[in-house]
PDB file of all heavy atoms in Angstrom:
ATOM      1  N   LYS A  61     117.459 142.537 101.135  1.00  0.00           N
ATOM      2  CA  LYS A  61     116.159 143.189 100.903  1.00  0.00           C
ATOM      3  C   LYS A  61     114.971 142.267 101.187  1.00  0.00           C
ATOM      4  O   LYS A  61     113.922 142.357 100.544  1.00  0.00           O
ATOM      5  CB  LYS A  61     116.071 143.753  99.480  1.00  0.00           C
ATOM      6  CG  LYS A  61     117.105 144.828  99.173  1.00  0.00           C
ATOM      7  CD  LYS A  61     116.910 145.421  97.809  1.00  0.00           C
ATOM      8  CE  LYS A  61     117.755 146.631  97.508  1.00  0.00           C
ATOM      9  NZ  LYS A  61     118.960 146.863  98.271  1.00  0.00           N
ATOM     10  N   LEU A  62     115.156 141.379 102.147  1.00  0.00           N
ATOM     11  CA  LEU A  62     114.065 140.503 102.587  1.00  0.00           C
ATOM     12  C   LEU A  62     113.424 141.016 103.869  1.00  0.00           C
ATOM     13  O   LEU A  62     112.273 140.673 104.177  1.00  0.00           O
ATOM     14  CB  LEU A  62     114.582 139.081 102.820  1.00  0.00           C
ATOM     15  CG  LEU A  62     115.143 138.334 101.612  1.00  0.00           C
ATOM     16  CD1 LEU A  62     115.691 136.980 102.024  1.00  0.00           C
ATOM     17  CD2 LEU A  62     114.071 138.159 100.536  1.00  0.00           C
ATOM     18  N   VAL A  63     114.154 141.857 104.604  1.00  0.00           N
ATOM     19  CA  VAL A  63     113.713 142.342 105.914  1.00  0.00           C
ATOM     20  C   VAL A  63     113.977 143.838 106.016  1.00  0.00           C
ATOM     21  O   VAL A  63     114.950 144.346 105.435  1.00  0.00           O
ATOM     22  CB  VAL A  63     114.462 141.579 107.038  1.00  0.00           C
ATOM     23  CG1 VAL A  63     114.347 142.283 108.375  1.00  0.00           C
ATOM     24  CG2 VAL A  63     113.931 140.150 107.160  1.00  0.00           C
ATOM     25  N   ILE A  64     113.101 144.533 106.737  1.00  0.00           N
ATOM     26  CA  ILE A  64     113.341 145.947 107.061  1.00  0.00           C
ATOM     27  C   ILE A  64     113.180 146.135 108.565  1.00  0.00           C
ATOM     28  O   ILE A  64     112.484 145.359 109.231  1.00  0.00           O
ATOM     29  CB  ILE A  64     112.380 146.902 106.311  1.00  0.00           C
ATOM     30  CG1 ILE A  64     110.920 146.515 106.594  1.00  0.00           C
ATOM     31  CG2 ILE A  64     112.673 146.941 104.833  1.00  0.00           C
ATOM     32  CD1 ILE A  64     109.909 147.527 106.075  1.00  0.00           C
ATOM     33  N   GLN A  65     113.837 147.164 109.093  1.00  0.00           N
ATOM     34  CA  GLN A  65     113.666 147.543 110.490  1.00  0.00           C
ATOM     35  C   GLN A  65     112.686 148.703 110.520  1.00  0.00           C
ATOM     36  O   GLN A  65     113.006 149.827 110.141  1.00  0.00           O
ATOM     37  CB  GLN A  65     115.021 147.947 111.095  1.00  0.00           C
ATOM     38  CG  GLN A  65     114.993 148.213 112.596  1.00  0.00           C
ATOM     39  CD  GLN A  65     114.719 146.946 113.402  1.00  0.00           C
ATOM     40  OE1 GLN A  65     115.154 145.862 113.035  1.00  0.00           O
ATOM     41  NE2 GLN A  65     113.996 147.091 114.499  1.00  0.00           N
ATOM     42  N   ASP A  66     111.451 148.419 110.930  1.00  0.00           N
ATOM     43  CA  ASP A  66     110.394 149.435 110.918  1.00  0.00           C
ATOM     44  C   ASP A  66     109.404 149.090 112.029  1.00  0.00           C
ATOM     45  O   ASP A  66     108.570 148.199 111.872  1.00  0.00           O
ATOM     46  CB  ASP A  66     109.689 149.443 109.551  1.00  0.00           C
ATOM     47  CG  ASP A  66     108.518 150.411 109.504  1.00  0.00           C
ATOM     48  OD1 ASP A  66     108.512 151.368 110.303  1.00  0.00           O
ATOM     49  OD2 ASP A  66     107.592 150.170 108.705  1.00  0.00           O
ATOM     50  N   ARG A  67     109.522 149.797 113.155  1.00  0.00           N
ATOM     51  CA  ARG A  67     108.708 149.447 114.329  1.00  0.00           C
ATOM     52  C   ARG A  67     108.871 147.966 114.669  1.00  0.00           C
ATOM     53  O   ARG A  67     107.912 147.223 114.774  1.00  0.00           O
ATOM     54  CB  ARG A  67     107.232 149.794 114.089  1.00  0.00           C
ATOM     55  CG  ARG A  67     106.966 151.300 113.998  1.00  0.00           C
ATOM     56  CD  ARG A  67     105.562 151.587 113.496  1.00  0.00           C
ATOM     57  NE  ARG A  67     105.413 151.131 112.107  1.00  0.00           N
ATOM     58  CZ  ARG A  67     104.323 150.549 111.652  1.00  0.00           C
ATOM     59  NH1 ARG A  67     103.298 150.301 112.437  1.00  0.00           N
ATOM     60  NH2 ARG A  67     104.249 150.180 110.377  1.00  0.00           N
ATOM     61  N   GLY A  68     110.107 147.573 114.789  1.00  0.00           N
ATOM     62  CA  GLY A  68     110.441 146.162 114.966  1.00  0.00           C
ATOM     63  C   GLY A  68     110.932 145.593 113.638  1.00  0.00           C
ATOM     64  O   GLY A  68     111.218 146.324 112.691  1.00  0.00           O
ATOM     65  N   THR A  69     111.030 144.299 113.581  1.00  0.00           N
ATOM     66  CA  THR A  69     111.537 143.628 112.381  1.00  0.00           C
ATOM     67  C   THR A  69     110.371 143.124 111.539  1.00  0.00           C
ATOM     68  O   THR A  69     109.496 142.413 112.046  1.00  0.00           O
ATOM     69  CB  THR A  69     112.441 142.452 112.776  1.00  0.00           C
ATOM     70  OG1 THR A  69     113.459 142.915 113.677  1.00  0.00           O
ATOM     71  CG2 THR A  69     113.102 141.840 111.550  1.00  0.00           C
ATOM     72  N   ARG A  70     110.371 143.480 110.247  1.00  0.00           N
ATOM     73  CA  ARG A  70     109.282 143.096 109.354  1.00  0.00           C
ATOM     74  C   ARG A  70     109.850 142.612 108.024  1.00  0.00           C
ATOM     75  O   ARG A  70     110.977 142.954 107.649  1.00  0.00           O
ATOM     76  CB  ARG A  70     108.349 144.281 109.085  1.00  0.00           C
ATOM     77  CG  ARG A  70     107.713 144.855 110.339  1.00  0.00           C
ATOM     78  CD  ARG A  70     106.938 146.137 110.066  1.00  0.00           C
ATOM     79  NE  ARG A  70     106.441 146.700 111.315  1.00  0.00           N
ATOM     80  CZ  ARG A  70     105.286 146.352 111.884  1.00  0.00           C
ATOM     81  NH1 ARG A  70     104.515 145.454 111.269  1.00  0.00           N
ATOM     82  NH2 ARG A  70     104.904 146.884 113.025  1.00  0.00           N
ATOM     83  N   LEU A  71     109.049 141.841 107.309  1.00  0.00           N
ATOM     84  CA  LEU A  71     109.444 141.381 105.986  1.00  0.00           C
ATOM     85  C   LEU A  71     109.101 142.434 104.940  1.00  0.00           C
ATOM     86  O   LEU A  71     108.085 143.124 105.034  1.00  0.00           O
ATOM     87  CB  LEU A  71     108.734 140.078 105.622  1.00  0.00           C
ATOM     88  CG  LEU A  71     109.041 138.838 106.466  1.00  0.00           C
ATOM     89  CD1 LEU A  71     108.313 137.625 105.889  1.00  0.00           C
ATOM     90  CD2 LEU A  71     110.524 138.558 106.552  1.00  0.00           C
ATOM     91  N   THR A  72     109.952 142.526 103.931  1.00  0.00           N
ATOM     92  CA  THR A  72     109.627 143.329 102.752  1.00  0.00           C
ATOM     93  C   THR A  72     108.682 142.523 101.856  1.00  0.00           C
ATOM     94  O   THR A  72     108.373 141.358 102.142  1.00  0.00           O
ATOM     95  CB  THR A  72     110.896 143.651 101.961  1.00  0.00           C
ATOM     96  OG1 THR A  72     111.459 142.409 101.483  1.00  0.00           O
ATOM     97  CG2 THR A  72     111.927 144.380 102.817  1.00  0.00           C
ATOM     98  N   PHE A  73     108.252 143.131 100.752  1.00  0.00           N
ATOM     99  CA  PHE A  73     107.431 142.402  99.783  1.00  0.00           C
ATOM    100  C   PHE A  73     108.195 141.171  99.301  1.00  0.00           C
ATOM    101  O   PHE A  73     107.629 140.080  99.178  1.00  0.00           O
ATOM    102  CB  PHE A  73     107.087 143.310  98.598  1.00  0.00           C
ATOM    103  CG  PHE A  73     106.334 142.593  97.509  1.00  0.00           C
ATOM    104  CD1 PHE A  73     104.961 142.389  97.594  1.00  0.00           C
ATOM    105  CD2 PHE A  73     107.009 142.101  96.391  1.00  0.00           C
ATOM    106  CE1 PHE A  73     104.276 141.705  96.599  1.00  0.00           C
ATOM    107  CE2 PHE A  73     106.331 141.414  95.391  1.00  0.00           C
ATOM    108  CZ  PHE A  73     104.957 141.226  95.500  1.00  0.00           C
TER     109      PHE A  73
END
Side-chain angles (χ1 to χ4, degrees):
K61 298 184 171 21
L62 297 176
V63 164
I64 56 171
Q65 187 67 35
D66 176 24
R67 292 169 294 141
T69 307
R70 301 173 185 274
L71 296 184
T72 63
F73 175 82

